[in-house]
Amino acid sequence: MVAYERFQAAQKAGQPEAEQLRLLNDAARLYQQALDLKPQNAPSDRATTHNQLGILYRQAGNLDQAGLHHPETTREKAAGRNLHLDFVSTN
């Protein structure tokens, strides 16, 4: 996502911490909005977004928030496999 790339560029360029934090918060907000818009029956998409949020928070040093999203990545991936298996077994 563009907002996260802007944060990474600011970090690499050594921009002030306040600017990096603003960009990081923008990226987290946009990823959360994307997650909120994804339907529950799209576990693969949701897993990807949870993973991105986990990476973002881990890179920012917020391990508590990262720890909330990484298990959700695994849960959503498992839900996607189960959804696929259910589809295959009924056809």
Side-chain angles (χ1 to χ4, degrees):
M1 192 174 269
V2 173
Y4 183 59
E5 291 171 1
R6 287 181 182 152
F7 160 71
Q8 288 178 312
Q11 193 176 41
K12 187 175 181 179
Q15 289 187 7
E17 193 171 308
E19 178 63 10
Q20 291 181 38
L21 183 59
R22 184 188 69 75
L23 293 168
L24 184 69
N25 285 330
D26 284 349
R29 179 180 51 78
L30 292 170
Y31 274 122
Q32 188 61 53
Q33 284 178 355
L35 184 61
D36 292 342
L37 292 172
K38 294 185 189 305
Q40 293 295 321
N41 64 350
S44 179
D45 293 340
R46 294 178 60 79
T48 299
T49 306
H50 275 297
N51 189 57
Q52 289 303 112
L53 278 162
I55 291 168
L56 185 140
Y57 283 121
R58 188 179 67 235
Q59 186 173 0
N62 189 337
L63 300 182
D64 290 338
Q65 283 294 321
L68 295 175
H69 288 283
H70 284 304
E72 287 299 310
T73 300
T74 303
R75 188 184 67 71
E76 294 281 2
K77 283 183 179 179
R81 283 191 295 276
N82 291 340
L83 185 64
H84 176 73
L85 291 174
D86 288 343
F87 176 77
V88 170
S89 66
T90 60
N91 288 322

